[in-house]
Amino acid sequence: MTDEMTVHDVTYNLLRSLGLTTVFGNPGSTEQSFLSRFPDDFTYVLALQEASALAMADGFAQATGKPAVVNLHTAAGTGNAMGSLVAAYRANTPLIVTAGQQTREMLLSDPYLTNRDETVLPQPWVKWAYQPARAEDVPAAFMRAYVVALQPPAGPVFLSIPLDDWDKPALGPAVVRTTSHRVAPDSERLRSFAARVNRAERPLLILGPEVDRAGAWDAGVAFAEKLRAPVRGSALPDRISFPEDHPLYAGPLPMTIAGVNEAVHGHDLVVVIGAQAFRYYPYVAGEYLPEGTELVQITSDPDLAAVAPVGDSLLGDVRTALEQLIDLVEDPTGRAAPAPRNRDRGAEPTATAAPLTAEAVYAALNTVRPDDSAVVMESTSTLAQQVQWLPTTRSGSFFATGSGGIGWGVPGAVGVALGDRARGVERTVIATIGDGSFQYSIQAIWTAARHNLPIVFVVLRNGEYAILKSFALLEKTPGVPGLDLPGLDIVSLAVGFGCRAVDVDSTEALTREFTSALAAEGPTVIVVPTEPELPDLG
């Protein structure tokens, strides 16, 4: 043995310098050389499947605002994690995703577990994919990966590292660099946008996920209040960027071309900040904008600017843009604030025998949830009821999948709770999950139990994929198989993974068990039988 620094030593020193001391993964044979001599000041978060490992890292990075490191098992593990990688890319989450590779000396003979064309598999769902040409280049590749992951729009990057690289001699200490990751918008174009806002008589403001991710919640509220314009959120948001109980809030946009056209009808200017214009889901044909309606968009994502079918776009950091717009936009003399949206929920749902309505579930949760709690949402068919009864009122307190693929919510909640702990924040994470979604990544609750995380999983058990039944009606496709989910004993499964778990049969039982969960150590799984309700996809 010598005192010579190895690639392993230098890389861990670099990660330590960058504050990247939490690694998510499920160890495989080609990763053990990276994980050997794992430092005492690092934390390894073990997930029982790679898709869960990556989604946990996603939630962790979103909660902390810093990149996270994920370690996958060569091509097999990367393949397992691809669905979660798509979600991280769509949510602009900065991740450094690593995968082990077979020994360099054997690659030409294609040994077992070789990752063929190692940079191809994760694309196009990473910003950069690379396998270092030499073992000595591994630390510098990590440094570049860190910079690329944070550059706007932020997102995951991928490094493939042969297993024999780690014990090779290093060239010396890693070069640690810093770089900014906010890009100011073009001032002249921003002033021209402000002038268009000033000329508008009936503007509509759309605040999308980028606003909350950029820490621009307060700036968005201040801009909306000065403008005295109604505010809508993106359809199917992965982050909420405006208080849903604010008098100016007019609800989320519809998911269809025709629905958006109707929602913006009567407005002469639509101001889209930090969002796609627009996020569509089912195809219902129509004009993108009504006649006489114009659109301007501000985003840090060149791709979102490119794919917008209408309007004029400005690239730049949305927080910087909003802060400057507050001063550039004139007080609209004579413009009355719009009448608040009718928020009359009607009578409070009463406690009834199961199955409960989704409305009753969310209304009950609203009476007992802590004010500072975070919500992780993956019950798409009940999104409307969640917005109505469990509104988001604080920055950084709502999280959902960025891609639309299910299976992110359970491990995402684990990552958010771990991220809260890492940054010294104590709050409860409420994960409202459909029974179908829960099965995709149920093994993630084991990690929640092992780390004693303050998560309450509320599983809405309607016994079906309700959102898909709505699509069957919309698309006129009768007789689709596999849309019902009978015979799931979720409580027994949760207990088997080490969680406190309970079935409830009324809103009274739900509030009682939820209150008990707040006082319990570690996670609780509450299963609520609910009535099947087909959501409106318009």
Side-chain angles (χ1 to χ4, degrees):
M1 294 291 292
T2 69
D3 293 331
E4 186 175 40
M5 296 285 284
T6 65
V7 168
H8 185 280
D9 299 328
V10 172
T11 300
Y12 272 94
N13 285 341
L14 172 65
L15 294 175
R16 187 179 289 111
S17 298
L18 297 174
L20 306 181
T21 58
T22 301
V23 179
F24 295 82
N26 182 273
S29 56
T30 57
E31 291 71 48
Q32 291 189 17
S33 52
F34 165 58
L35 298 172
S36 67
R37 308 184 303 281
F38 196 72
D40 293 338
D41 60 330
F42 278 60
T43 300
Y44 185 81
V45 179
L46 174 61
L48 301 184
Q49 209 263 9
E50 288 96 338
S52 288
L54 201 144
M56 288 177 193
D58 186 347
F60 182 88
Q62 291 199 51
T64 61
K66 300 177 180 178
V69 177
V70 189
N71 187 227
L72 304 176
H73 181 40
T74 190
T78 304
N80 284 338
M82 282 301 296
S84 296
L85 185 62
V86 175
Y89 182 86
R90 289 293 194 188
N92 297 132
T93 304
L95 298 178
I96 300 176
V97 182
T98 67
Q101 172 64 296
Q102 261 290 6
T103 309
R104 286 182 185 270
E105 283 78 3
M106 294 198 300
L107 287 178
L108 190 60
S109 60
D110 193 22
Y112 193 61
L113 287 176
T114 298
N115 190 354
R116 291 186 182 179
D117 295 327
E118 56 280 328
T119 62
V120 174
L121 178 58
Q123 297 190 55
W125 305 113
V126 291
K127 295 179 65 180
W128 181 56
Y130 184 65
Q131 179 169 291
R134 305 178 299 166
E136 296 89 340
D137 296 329
V138 169
F142 269 89
M143 187 66 245
R144 178 173 172 181
Y146 177 83
V147 172
V148 174
L150 280 172
Q151 291 305 294
V157 296
F158 179 83
L159 294 177
S160 170
I161 306 170
L163 66 89
D164 55 325
D165 282 6
W166 296 104
D167 287 329
K168 297 289 178 60
L171 297 174
V175 176
V176 181
R177 303 177 55 248
T178 62
T179 181
S180 64
H181 50 271
R182 293 176 65 186
V183 178
D186 177 83
S187 58
E188 182 177 350
R189 190 167 179 83
L190 187 64
R191 283 194 297 270
S192 74
F193 276 22
R196 294 174 70 174
V197 173
N198 289 332
R199 291 194 299 270
E201 296 181 1
R202 298 174 304 281
L204 173 66
L205 182 59
I206 312 296
L207 296 178
E210 283 182 59
V211 174
D212 193 47
R213 287 198 293 265
W217 176 285
D218 291 340
V221 172
F223 179 60
E225 290 177 346
K226 184 171 184 179
L227 202 59
R228 293 201 288 278
V231 179
R232 282 186 174 264
S234 300
L236 298 171
D238 47 281
R239 298 283 285 265
I240 300 295
S241 294
F242 192 80
E244 293 178 324
D245 61 348
H246 194 284
L248 291 174
Y249 184 65
L253 283 172
M255 297 181 284
T256 66
I257 297 172
V260 170
N261 181 290
E262 182 179 352
V264 305
H265 184 78
H267 296 281
D268 54 351
L269 181 67
V270 181
V271 184
V272 180
I273 301 180
Q276 184 173 354
F278 293 100
R279 178 175 281 179
Y280 302 120
Y281 189 9
Y283 178 65
V284 179
E287 297 295 329
Y288 289 112
L289 289 175
E291 185 177 353
T293 301
E294 297 182 352
L295 182 145
V296 294
Q297 176 197 39
I298 302 174
T299 175
S300 65
D301 190 338
D303 187 58
L304 292 189
V307 300
V310 289
D312 301 313
S313 298
L314 170 61
L315 288 172
D317 178 72
V318 296
R319 178 175 175 178
T320 303
L322 278 166
E323 291 172 347
Q324 293 180 10
L325 278 172
I326 293 170
D327 295 328
L328 292 171
V329 169
E330 300 168 356
D331 191 340
T333 304
R335 179 188 299 157
R341 187 171 64 132
N342 182 10
R343 289 178 173 79
D344 182 11
R345 297 164 172 164
E348 290 278 339
T350 57
T352 59
L356 302 173
T357 63
E359 181 182 39
V361 172
Y362 288 111
L365 292 177
N366 194 42
T367 66
V368 290
R369 69 160 174 174
D371 290 340
D372 63 347
S373 59
V375 171
V376 176
M377 170 66 168
E378 194 167 285
S379 177
T380 308
S381 63
T382 65
L383 183 59
Q385 293 90 338
Q386 183 264 321
V387 172
Q388 181 182 16
W389 290 97
L390 208 65
T392 299
T393 60
R394 299 181 181 215
S395 176
S397 61
F398 178 90
F399 304 89
T401 176
S403 69
I406 63 177
W408 183 91
V410 175
V414 174
V416 170
L418 286 168
D420 285 346
R421 180 174 291 174
R423 63 194 180 102
V425 171
E426 294 184 8
R427 65 173 176 175
T428 299
V429 176
I430 305 169
T432 55
I433 314 291
D435 50 354
S437 292
F438 200 73
Q439 306 313 309
Y440 270 63
S441 48
I442 190 172
Q443 71 283 338
I445 66 175
W446 178 87
T447 304
R450 295 289 293 177
H451 289 265
N452 288 319
L453 297 176
I455 307 173
V456 185
F457 296 98
V458 180
V459 183
L460 289 85
R461 177 80 174 101
N462 64 7
E464 64 180 22
Y465 293 117
I467 190 74
L468 297 182
K469 290 190 175 183
S470 288
F471 267 98
L473 293 175
L474 178 70
E475 297 170 353
K476 298 180 175 60
T477 53
V480 175
L483 301 186
D484 294 307
L485 298 168
L488 289 174
D489 186 349
I490 295 174
V491 166
S492 294
L493 291 168
V495 170
F497 280 111
C499 289
R500 178 178 178 271
V502 62
D503 281 302
V504 298
D505 58 5
S506 67
T507 53
E508 180 182 0
L510 172 58
T511 56
R512 182 180 65 249
E513 292 297 340
F514 188 92
T515 302
S516 297
L518 295 177
E521 182 179 357
T524 298
V525 176
I526 301 176
V527 181
V528 190
T530 57
E531 294 180 1
E533 301 173 70
L534 300 187
D536 180 8
L537 297 177

